[in-house]
Amino acid sequence: MENMDSYTGLDRLLLKILKIPGALMIVPLFLGVMFNTFAPQILDIGSFTTALFKNGLAVLIGLFFLAVGSQISFKTALPSVEKGVVLLLAKFGIAVIFGLSVAFFTPEGMLFGLLPIAIIAAMSNSNGSLYVALTSQFGNKTDKGAISILSINDGPFLTLVALGVAGLAAFPLLALFAAIFPMIFGFILGNSSIIARKFLAPGEKLIIPFAAFAIGAGINLEVLLGQGSVGILLGAATAVISGGTALLALYFWHRVRRHPKSCRNLVAAASEASVAGNAIATPAMVTALDPSYLPIQGAATAQIAAAVVTTAFILPFFVAWLAAWQKRQGITPENEDRFYEEKSIKREHVLKAEVNIKS
């Protein structure tokens, strides 16, 4: 580890900034907003400066999804896959139901100013980094392994599917395929080559701040302060509604699989009740495919940005409380791990016995 004495003033400032929840996405986003509001001419000087910091959003997001896709793997234990599928379907399902209900059954298609595109994008995405951090501290192997499935909700894919199927956006089939192909291509590369997966892994973090700044460069501060403030409500709704649905779904999965009470660990469900920082890019991607969303792109982006920060603050406290409550009930992640290990050993003994009988 490097000596702190060798750090410059900027290094120390960056260390403090990185303590902000979702800092890689939130801080550059706000910087982009400030430049676009008070000094937009700086971003319009042309050449590589304008290409990178203002007009390069589509390229940056495409590269980001290529990197994300390369890290998705289905090579994991069955319980992790099952747990990931249950949480993915629960989170996406409630996001679609809630978002489309607002779109079709509320005046002007909004609820307290919340836009359906922001609701679906926020509630269907989850903060993978926060999930891994929380399950590493409070969960077990299957909780952490579920991220291989949950990574599917990264980016705009599920939101595009929901809006397109519901008829809320016009996405030509070829345009929809073009939007998700970078992630598919990354998935193929990452699962075909360990070298390719390792090479592309840094892209998940490296590209985020540049894409975030470019997104912010398309938003005015007035929109952020006005429409963005209701994003706090969106964050709270995601934690309560999305998180509650995930908890119920995982609990019923434990019951259906007849797991002993001491093994019905719900830490993964609680850790999934967040809004991903990369969900902030979803309105821009939707608008690129359907320009009719352009008038509300800034407002939707601002609402999601506020929801990201809100869930990042709320979730760690809730997961810590849930883990303590479970422990008092005699339910622990360690019990669940032991249950699967014992089950695996029994299965091996049965297979060996069958082989001996056949021989």
Side-chain angles (χ1 to χ4, degrees), residues 284-304:
M285 180 62 75
V286 171
T287 301
L289 296 175
D290 188 346
S292 67
Y293 276 83
L294 187 59
I296 63 171
Q297 178 187 331
T301 301
Q303 290 178 8
I304 296 171

Side-chain angles (χ1 to χ4, degrees), residues 30 75 136 171-172 186 189 269 315 321:
F30 278 100
K75 294 179 181 179
S136 295
F171 301 138
L189 283 176
L315 215 56
W321 173 84

Side-chain angles (χ1 to χ4, degrees), residues 143-199:
D143 293 332
K144 287 181 284 187
I147 192 63
S148 60
I149 301 297
L150 295 173
S151 295
I152 294 172
N153 71 19
D154 280 343
F157 174 62
L158 296 181
T159 303
L160 293 175
V161 170
L163 294 175
V165 171
L168 292 177
F171 301 138
L173 187 60
L174 184 60
L176 180 60
F177 175 75
I180 64 173
F181 179 72
M183 185 174 285
I184 295 173
F185 183 53
F187 174 80
I188 294 171
L189 283 176
N191 284 272
S192 302
S193 167
I194 295 174
I195 294 174
R197 172 174 290 188
K198 289 182 177 179
F199 175 78

Side-chain angles (χ1 to χ4, degrees), residues 9 19 55 100 136 170 174 176 229 235-236 258 277:
K19 292 179 181 179
N55 297 336
L100 296 185
S136 295
L174 184 60
L176 180 60
S229 59
R258 296 181 180 179

Side-chain angles (χ1 to χ4, degrees), residues 241-252:
I241 299 174
S242 177
T245 303
L247 286 166
L248 287 173
L250 192 58
Y251 173 76
F252 282 115

Side-chain angles (χ1 to χ4, degrees), residues 44-238:
D44 290 324
I45 62 176
S47 192
F48 302 122
T49 299
T50 302
L52 175 61
F53 294 107
K54 189 169 184 179
N55 297 336
L57 182 59
V59 174
L60 291 168
I61 291 178
L63 283 172
F64 173 73
F65 291 138
L66 177 69
V68 168
S70 71
Q71 304 307 301
I72 300 173
S73 173
F74 288 109
K75 294 179 181 179
T76 185
L78 181 60
S80 294
V81 173
E82 289 184 0
K83 189 175 285 189
V85 169
V86 168
L87 293 177
L88 181 70
L89 293 178
K91 190 169 176 68
F92 178 61
I94 195 61
V96 172
I97 291 171
F98 189 39
L100 296 185
S101 296
V102 170
F104 291 117
F105 303 117
T106 60
E108 299 181 357
M110 290 188 294
L111 180 65
F112 305 121
L114 290 174
L115 298 163
I117 183 177
I119 293 171
I120 296 175
M123 294 183 70
S124 64
N125 269 262
S126 58
N127 188 326
S129 298
L130 184 59
Y131 176 87
V132 170
L134 291 172
T135 53
S136 295
Q137 183 175 355
F138 300 104
N140 59 21
K141 295 176 183 177
T142 60
D143 293 332
K144 287 181 284 187
I147 192 63
S148 60
I149 301 297
L150 295 173
S151 295
I152 294 172
N153 71 19
D154 280 343
F157 174 62
L158 296 181
T159 303
L160 293 175
V161 170
L163 294 175
V165 171
L168 292 177
F171 301 138
L173 187 60
L174 184 60
L176 180 60
F177 175 75
I180 64 173
F181 179 72
M183 185 174 285
I184 295 173
F185 183 53
F187 174 80
I188 294 171
L189 283 176
N191 284 272
S192 302
S193 167
I194 295 174
I195 294 174
R197 172 174 290 188
K198 289 182 177 179
F199 175 78
L200 292 169
E204 283 193 282
K205 284 190 175 182
L206 178 62
I207 299 167
I208 286 176
F210 296 98
F213 187 94
I215 292 170
I219 303 173
N220 190 280
L221 184 60
E222 185 178 343
V223 174
L224 189 61
L225 293 177
Q227 293 286 345
S229 59
V230 297
I232 297 173
L233 176 61
L234 177 58
T238 300

